Amino acid sequence: MAEAHQAVGFRPSLTSDAGEVELSAPMLQEIYLSGLRSWKRHLSRFWNDFLTGVFPASPLSWLFLFSAIQLAWFLQLDPSLGLMEKIKELLPDWGGQHHRLRGVLAAALFASCLWGALIFTLHVALRLLLSYHGWLLQPHGATSSRTKTWLALVHIFSGRHPMLFSYQRSLPRQPVPSVQDTVRKYLESVRPVLSDEDFDWTAALAREFLRLQASLLQWYLQLKSWWASNYVSDWWEEFVYLRSRNSLMVNSNYYMMAARAGNAVHALLLYRHRLNRQEILPTLLMGMRPLCSAQYEKIFNTTRIPGVHKDHIRHLRDSRHVAVFHRGRFFRVGTHTQSGLLSPRALEQQFQRILDDPSPACPHEEHLAALTAAPRDMWAQVRRSLKTQAQEALEAVEGAAFFVSLDSEPAGLTREDPAASLDAYAHALLAGRGHDRWFDKSFSLIVFSNGKLGLSVEHSWADCPISGHMWEFTLATECFQLGYAADGHCKGHPDLSLPQPQRLHWDLPDKIHLSISLALRGAKTLSGNIDCHVFPFSHFGKSFIKRWHLSSDSFIQMALQLAYFRDRGQFCLTYESTMTRLFLEGRTETVRSCTREACNFVRAMEDKEKTDPQCLALFRLAVDKHQALLKAAMSGQGVDRHLFALYIVSQFLHLQSPFLDQVHSEQWQLATSQIPVQQIHLFDAHSYPDYVSSGGGFGPADDHGYGVSYIFMGDDVITFHISSKKSSTRTDSHRLGQHIEDALLDVAALFQEGQRLKRRGLGEDDSGHSRDSLPCHTRGSRAPTTATNF
């Protein structure tokens, strides 16, 4: 997602030309603080940690064990082999009348010790089982007997009815890869995009790094991995996100689309209620392998607070209101009464009161939120004055559960101009008008005047699958559970006893008026420079790809390589984000999709002398290579996060490394990400296509690059979101979109031609069209224009 831009742009304020390459006290202190932060997170949720800490056991299992010991003692059996007698001797002697009480206490202490030992054994066994990644490295669609045995053991040790955080204590820690392997993989990844001279120079820097510096930096990373929960994630959050001084708008936010409004706020608050009670089930791969749930903690009640040198994330345990923005005015809307959460109809009533409020915005209030889109140093300084002059209003916004923007303009797909309307919809969600989003909030719900809605999500606190999970629940609940009355209103009755929404008043000092004007000018410039293009590809989808026993993600990635080459006439470093949540507090890793195998396939597709079978064979090799890289990244053996952590250590030690500087200076001209659909059971894409989220997008990572995201909508549609900068003469989002459509049809034609030749070889009649046939298309031709239903 937007992390690619942040990964390129971060500049740690730790560099110095001097310093001793020894055991660094600041480095050791940073490792100590990383571990301390990990332990504080665990202690902040004591009761939930207790319930999840004993999982897969439960508090009732202790009672069962204690009762069994008491029964055995009553039958004159000693399951403790004399240990309970030893415990009784250590207890105070309260006299003969309390002899039985001492026996009960001894049995309780023995039961507790035995129970704790059993839980510890289960945790160790489950952690060892979850450390096995052989299942991930197997060929696509294959399951060995070893993996089947592993799945059976995981099922036995995983327990029943897990809560959201039940598996956290059993997740393995992310391993630190071998530095030799990481450097080797890095050199392999840059070979296709470097000239022979540049590659030889880079390889020489790599050899010097391995010989002089790698072992020391690696030692510190190993030390951190033993002490902290994750050797890279906290640094990734701090240096890539919180220390970035760039505007959050476009650079560190992404958006998600949907088709309806109304009950959305109530559905979001229902999700928060379930989250607080840990009633959300943990995400399981293959229905068995749990992923880390740590990022869910900061979805709600969270704000990124600007600082002069570094931001920090402020998370409240609870918040009973949302902040609402409409026509330049801010409101505080309570979400609860003494009897509980407001009904959907009551919330609709409160929002309607805001829409009907005729009061105008105060001077400069309308554009105040543009400050959250300003460079972070500037916003931090202005916020100090704002906190003094308008503390109550600022606290109401920053302390809200989330931010709601009631836009005065319509958005979404229109029949008159479907292509342009989708592009405008995406742009409105990503950037808006520059002053109608509070970009510091963890997410903002944007409701347009025609009822369409979407999310704008700040990236530092979590990654896309977390907010995506919440969004899927929200859409399904809003559409299929809450519903609407026949007159279009939310179901239920208004509550006229509710107080009016509280209008927030800002006492803005004169000295920040200029800052607001400058921030607004910068936000409008940044917003106006973004070129967004959204298009649904409906010629085929996931079902067609899976028919050929291929990974749908790898299929798209290879098509993107072909499309980019046709667009720019060259290859580039490609950033594909994948998750590392198989590990405790894991976040993301980069898959470098532009491989030598991918380049060979693209060159063959552009070579008219290459036959379709030759291209098809090269395509399968490229897909296999991509799958190998993807699985290695997911299993903690990627390249970029390890090199990033090594770079951070080198900065703490004031140790200059030309190789790591070279890695850090790389530009990602093609940043890509798949939007996962995680709760397929919530939607019937065939019966209710209008209720399925059409995904989301993010800004480009480079001024002359593209940001591309895609989502598989059901089995037959793939929606692409493309962004670039209008200021670049090298990029055009619509042009790349056409290349992507052509590339997908070209690749699909290879498989259909292969199938036709196979049928001909078997003597079958191939004159008819199969149910998976595509529009008539030959390699390198332009796709026919067809109407799509979106």
Side-chain angles (χ1 to χ4, degrees):
M1 298 296 290
E3 66 189 45
H5 186 283
Q6 297 296 101
V8 171
F10 88 95
R11 293 291 185 271
S13 55
L14 302 168
T15 56
S16 174
D17 294 332
E20 298 293 332
V21 186
E22 298 176 357
L23 292 182
S24 167
M27 182 70 250
L28 293 176
Q29 182 183 15
E30 174 61 25
I31 291 174
Y32 166 75
L33 292 176
S34 294
L36 195 62
R37 288 191 292 266
S38 300
W39 287 107
K40 283 183 177 180
R41 282 193 294 271
H42 295 312
L43 292 174
S44 66
R45 292 183 292 109
F46 176 77
W47 176 244
N48 285 339
D49 271 359
F50 172 73
L51 293 178
T52 58
V54 302
F55 187 84
S58 69
L60 287 178
S61 62
W62 177 89
L63 184 60
F64 174 81
L65 183 61
F66 173 71
S67 300
I69 292 173
Q70 285 291 85
L71 178 61
W73 191 260
F74 177 77
L75 297 176
Q76 298 184 346
L77 299 175
D78 185 5
S80 70
L81 302 178
L83 286 177
M84 285 197 297
E85 289 294 335
K86 295 289 187 182
I87 295 174
K88 286 173 63 177
E89 294 175 3
L90 296 175
L91 292 175
D93 187 359
W94 295 300
Q97 66 272 24
H98 297 290
H99 178 76
R100 182 173 179 80
L101 177 60
R102 293 177 66 199
V104 172
L105 289 175
L109 289 172
F110 175 72
S112 299
C113 293
L114 181 59
W115 187 59
L118 291 174
I119 291 172
F120 177 77
T121 302
L122 288 173
H123 280 175
V124 171
L126 187 56
R127 180 173 294 182
L128 290 174
L129 287 170
L130 297 183
S131 298
Y132 169 71
H133 297 122
W135 61 276
L136 188 61
L137 304 178
Q138 290 182 352
H140 187 73
T143 305
S144 66
S145 57
R146 184 176 183 180
T147 296
K148 292 179 180 177
T149 302
W150 171 78
L151 285 172
L153 290 173
V154 170
H155 180 72
I156 292 171
F157 284 93
S158 291
R160 301 173 61 186
H161 309 300
M163 301 169 68
L164 178 60
F165 299 108
S166 292
Y167 293 108
Q168 292 300 99
R169 292 185 181 275
S170 299
L171 290 174
R173 298 189 180 191
Q174 186 167 338
V176 181
S178 162
V179 68
Q180 289 80 10
D181 287 346
T182 295
V183 171
R184 174 183 58 79
K185 293 176 182 177
Y186 170 79
L187 292 176
E188 180 183 344
S189 73
V190 299
R191 187 65 189 93
V193 299
L194 294 180
S195 65
D196 292 342
E197 181 181 356
D198 289 341
F199 179 77
D200 291 340
W201 178 71
T202 302
L205 293 180
R207 289 191 295 269
E208 180 185 17
F209 169 72
L210 290 174
R211 180 172 59 88
L212 298 178
Q213 300 142 342
S215 59
L216 176 63
L217 304 182
Q218 182 79 349
W219 183 86
Y220 277 109
L221 284 189
Q222 293 285 3
L223 180 63
K224 185 185 178 187
S225 71
W226 296 334
W227 172 244
S229 299
N230 191 290
Y231 82 91
V232 64
S233 289
D234 61 329
W235 284 349
W236 185 253
E237 177 182 294
E238 176 180 349
F239 291 100
V240 170
Y241 293 112
L242 300 183
R243 285 184 183 265
S244 172
R245 302 294 84 196
N246 295 326
S247 167
L248 298 187
M249 187 176 74
V250 177
N251 299 320
S252 185
N253 75 313
Y254 54 93
Y255 66 88
M256 293 184 179
M257 289 181 169
R260 292 173 66 90
N263 295 315
V265 170
H266 186 82
L268 285 167
L269 295 171
L270 285 178
Y271 187 90
R272 185 181 69 166
H273 178 73
R274 295 187 62 187
L275 179 65
N276 291 338
R277 295 171 61 89
Q278 293 198 46
E279 294 174 351
I280 297 171
L281 296 178
T283 304
L284 304 177
L285 291 184
M286 302 174 62
M288 195 68 64
R289 177 57 169 90
L291 301 182
C292 180
S293 301
Q295 296 179 48
Y296 283 89
E297 292 181 291
K298 296 178 181 178
I299 294 181
F300 297 94
N301 324 325
T302 298
T303 305
R304 176 169 168 174
I305 304 299
V308 176
H309 301 293
K310 168 190 168 184
D311 295 356
H312 72 273
I313 295 177
R314 180 193 180 201
H315 173 69
L316 304 178
R317 296 188 64 86
D318 193 19
S319 176
R320 295 299 182 103
H321 73 278
V322 294
V324 181
F325 180 87
H326 176 59
R327 290 198 300 111
R329 303 160 304 161
F330 293 83
F331 295 85
R332 183 187 189 277
V333 176
T335 56
H336 291 72
T337 62
Q338 292 182 350
S339 57
L341 177 63
L342 290 183
S343 69
R345 187 67 180 89
L347 286 168
E348 178 191 347
Q349 167 192 308
Q350 295 297 79
F351 293 139
Q352 189 61 48
R353 287 174 169 177
I354 293 175
L355 295 175
D356 296 338
D357 186 339
S359 62
C362 297
H364 298 283
E365 179 188 14
E366 179 181 2
H367 301 144
L368 177 65
L371 290 168
T372 66
R376 304 305 286 174
D377 290 347
M378 171 184 171
W379 171 215
Q381 293 173 357
V382 175
R383 183 180 174 275
R384 291 178 179 175
S385 300
L386 200 62
K387 191 173 182 180
T388 302
Q389 300 291 330
Q391 183 175 2
E392 182 178 351
L394 182 64
E395 177 60 28
V397 173
E398 294 183 341
F402 52 90
F403 192 79
V404 180
S405 179
L406 302 178
D407 279 21
S408 302
E409 301 294 329
L413 180 68
T414 62
R415 293 182 179 181
E416 294 78 13
D417 193 350
S421 62
L422 279 178
D423 296 348
Y425 186 17
H427 187 276
L429 291 174
L430 182 62
R433 291 179 291 172
H435 62 84
D436 49 359
R437 316 279 186 260
W438 198 271
F439 290 101
D440 291 352
K441 291 300 294 182
S442 55
F443 70 91
S444 297
L445 176 67
I446 302 158
V447 184
F448 297 97
S449 62
N450 58 348
K452 302 292 184 180
L453 68 140
L455 286 185
S456 175
V457 188
E458 202 281 312
H459 207 322
S460 64
W461 59 273
D463 301 307
C464 177
I466 306 302
S467 52
H469 189 279
M470 173 196 68
W471 197 228
E472 290 172 5
F473 174 90
T474 300
L475 296 182
T477 302
E478 183 260 332
C479 297
F480 303 121
Q481 294 186 24
L482 300 177
Y484 293 87
D487 60 359
H489 289 288
C490 297
K491 293 180 179 178
H493 302 282
D495 185 354
L496 300 180
S497 65
L498 289 176
Q500 290 283 337
Q502 178 187 350
R503 173 77 184 274
L504 301 182
H505 297 283
W506 304 84
D507 182 11
L508 302 178
D510 294 339
K511 61 181 179 181
I512 74 168
H513 292 175
L514 177 60
S515 298
I516 294 176
S517 299
L518 292 175
L520 179 63
R521 185 186 309 168
K524 286 186 173 181
T525 299
L526 184 56
S527 174
N529 193 30
I530 291 297
D531 180 24
C532 293
H533 179 46
V534 181
F535 74 96
F537 179 86
S538 57
H539 298 300
F540 63 85
K542 185 187 297 184
S543 61
F544 175 85
I545 299 173
K546 288 191 175 296
R547 174 188 170 194
W548 304 104
H549 307 289
L550 294 170
S551 162
S552 53
D553 180 69
S554 297
F555 188 101
I556 299 298
Q557 285 292 323
M558 294 307 104
L560 289 178
Q561 291 300 314
L562 178 58
Y564 183 87
F565 185 83
R566 289 174 175 175
D567 183 77
R568 296 288 296 273
Q570 63 185 22
F571 298 105
C572 73
L573 285 175
T574 303
Y575 187 111
E576 181 191 5
S577 177
T578 191
M579 61 91 182
T580 55
R581 289 170 58 209
L582 292 171
F583 305 101
L584 181 62
E585 296 183 12
R587 288 201 61 164
T588 61
E589 178 57 277
T590 304
V591 180
R592 294 176 168 239
S593 301
C594 184
T595 61
R596 180 178 56 186
E597 290 79 3
C599 294
N600 290 339
F601 157 69
V602 170
R603 292 191 184 98
M605 289 292 288
E606 300 301 279
D607 186 350
K608 300 301 182 182
E609 296 182 359
K610 295 292 184 180
T611 65
D612 284 352
Q614 290 175 316
C615 293
L616 187 58
L618 291 172
F619 179 80
R620 288 192 176 276
L621 288 176
V623 165
D624 290 343
K625 179 62 175 181
H626 178 266
Q627 275 291 288
L629 293 177
L630 177 66
K631 293 174 179 179
M634 290 176 62
S635 58
Q637 300 299 316
V639 173
D640 288 271
R641 297 303 175 270
H642 187 200
L643 290 175
F644 162 79
L646 290 169
Y647 179 76
I648 294 300
V649 174
S650 72
Q651 300 304 295
F652 273 113
L653 297 178
H654 310 301
L655 178 62
Q656 295 301 308
S657 169
F659 171 71
L660 293 179
D661 291 340
Q662 163 70 13
V663 173
H664 175 57
S665 66
E666 290 177 338
Q667 299 296 317
W668 303 96
Q669 294 192 352
L670 182 57
T672 69
S673 179
Q674 179 187 168
I675 308 296
V677 180
Q678 304 168 79
Q679 303 170 88
I680 301 175
H681 63 282
L682 295 179
F683 297 93
D684 183 349
H686 295 287
S687 303
Y688 303 99
D690 292 336
Y691 292 87
V692 180
S693 171
S694 49
F698 53 93
D702 184 77
D703 288 342
H704 301 287
Y706 291 107
V708 180
S709 68
Y710 47 95
I711 182 173
F712 293 93
M713 299 178 62
D715 291 331
D716 302 313
V717 177
I718 312 167
T719 299
F720 289 87
H721 299 249
I722 307 170
S723 67
S724 60
K725 293 193 174 181
K726 296 177 181 178
S727 57
S728 174
T729 59
R730 308 175 196 172
T731 58
D732 185 308
S733 296
H734 293 74
R735 185 182 69 207
L736 181 66
Q738 186 61 64
H739 284 309
I740 291 174
E741 184 172 3
D742 290 349
L744 287 169
L745 289 171
D746 281 349
V747 175
L750 293 179
F751 285 90
Q752 289 206 318
E753 178 64 16
Q755 184 184 47
R756 187 181 67 82
L757 294 175
K758 183 179 179 180
R759 287 176 176 173
R760 180 179 296 177
L762 294 174
E764 298 178 1
D765 180 13
D766 61 348
S767 58
H769 293 286
S770 70
R771 62 184 177 89
D772 293 313
S773 61
L774 304 174
C776 180
H777 191 73
T778 57
R779 179 152 56 98
S781 69
R782 180 163 296 280
T785 302
T786 59
T788 57
N789 180 22
F790 185 69

